[in-house]
Amino acid sequence: MTCLILDTPSTRGYFPSVNVLVTGGVGFIGFHVCERLLQAGHTVCALDDLNDFYDPALKQSNLRDLQALAQSFIFTQGDITCRNDVDEVMGGMAFDQVIHLAARAGVRPSLEQPALYQRVNVEGTVNVLEAARENGVKKITIASSSSVYGVNSKVPFSEDDPIFNAISPYAASKLACEALGHVYHHVHGMDICMLRFFTVYGPRQRPDLAIHKFARLMTAAQPIPVFGDGTTARDYTYVEDTVDGVIAATEREFGYEIINLGESQTIELHRLIELLENALDTKAQIDRQPPQPGDVPITFASIDKARRLLEYDPKVKIEDGIPRFVEWFRQPDSASC
């Protein structure tokens, strides 16, 4: 099977412009992926429903910035759970690749709305895969999540680890997406790369995520909720490093692969708070809460496979990444979102 691979200026002297559909394209990670593709000279269509999971003003700001960046950016408002919406956008342009990022995200909200998470993440992914198949798009890069590892006593987490211990509907939905990707590769010969993201952060981060939420509350001199004793650890990955991995995946053929994209180091929650205190020059007020159902004690990526297959090499340590986030956060049009 031959797919049209994205050549980039960093790896080729001459590169053809290709058409890429990015679902969830004006969200946090989606914005940065679209920005990188546009800067490389590609035509990008972003499909996003602009839902109210968080303040739509943040996505609207992302959309305006992408529209101002390049004439080769196209936006379509649509819902991946609506097959007609997906068919309409997929049939409206000859796409060479799809980068599927659209999903309902978050462990805790998925406990409250499990059916919604299955509908968006699983049925929506089926709609994207089916529309791609019917329109002859062979290469699909799909966002998965470190949450699929569940409570994994073996660290760092490897793609070869057994993953039968999901502890949230969100994690279960991402496991289902990985299985669907394998089905479409096996049955239809599509080139599918599943990327397991590990706690991505940086400019334009969703306001419901810990770093953004803590920064907003600390700036307002309000207490921040800390679940547990502060020793839970996460593999925080700066968004530009994650995007490096996404773009690298579009430049190669795999058949079917699952690849971790993490920083490959862990930071405990109390240390994260210290870094935010230093960057914001303010002291956090801690509102201690009991551990939450669905939360895992640690995420920690083995990135040996990513290094081998993608030449992935994350560069931004959290000691540098948090000040970069705070620099963006302090801009007038960001912190209020």
Side-chain angles (χ1 to χ4, degrees), residues 106-115 117 167-170 292-295:
V107 167
R108 293 170 195 160
S110 77
L111 296 170
E112 300 172 0
Q113 296 180 294
Y117 275 68
I167 60 171
S168 70
Y170 173 65
Q292 292 292 288
D295 280 355

Side-chain angles (χ1 to χ4, degrees), residues 48-57 59 77 104 113 116:
D48 203 299
D49 66 356
L50 301 177
N51 65 64
D52 61 357
F53 178 70
Y54 56 89
D55 188 347
K59 281 191 174 183
Q77 185 169 353
R104 279 282 173 163
Q113 296 180 294
L116 175 64

Side-chain angles (χ1 to χ4, degrees), residues 76-248:
T76 299
Q77 185 169 353
D79 185 345
I80 61 171
T81 67
C82 176
R83 182 60 194 274
N84 288 338
D85 285 1
V86 180
D87 285 343
E88 184 174 344
V89 68
M90 198 80 75
M93 181 183 296
F95 289 107
D96 302 298
Q97 290 198 29
V98 174
I99 301 174
H100 178 39
L101 305 176
R104 279 282 173 163
V107 167
R108 293 170 195 160
S110 77
L111 296 170
E112 300 172 0
Q113 296 180 294
L116 175 64
Y117 275 68
Q118 298 307 302
R119 186 165 66 253
V120 175
N121 297 356
V122 182
E123 294 179 28
T125 296
V126 171
N127 287 340
V128 171
L129 288 167
E130 270 293 282
R133 180 187 66 82
E134 291 182 356
N135 286 276
V137 183
K138 288 291 189 179
K139 184 164 180 60
I140 317 289
T141 303
I142 301 177
S144 185
S145 167
S146 62
S147 66
V148 301
Y149 288 105
V151 180
N152 191 356
S153 59
K154 173 184 168 293
V155 294
F157 301 167
S158 169
E159 296 88 346
D160 296 327
D161 293 345
I163 49 169
F164 304 111
N165 298 311
I167 60 171
S168 70
Y170 173 65
S173 73
K174 287 299 185 178
L175 278 172
C177 291
E178 293 186 358
L180 286 165
H182 187 269
V183 168
Y184 275 77
H185 162 67
H186 179 76
V187 176
H188 303 296
M190 297 169 72
D191 191 276
I192 307 287
C193 185
M194 308 292 311
L195 299 175
R196 291 176 177 167
F197 296 162
F198 279 70
T199 316
V200 186
Y201 75 100
R204 301 176 191 265
Q205 188 186 42
R206 296 194 337 251
D208 61 297
L209 294 175
I211 291 173
H212 195 158
K213 181 178 181 179
F214 286 0
R216 187 173 65 254
L217 292 172
M218 290 166 65
T219 301
Q222 296 179 9
I224 62 174
V226 172
F227 299 96
D229 61 2
T231 61
T232 55
R234 295 290 179 266
D235 192 340
Y236 293 98
T237 313
Y238 194 69
V239 65
E240 291 298 334
D241 288 329
T242 299
V243 173
D244 285 346
V246 174
I247 298 302

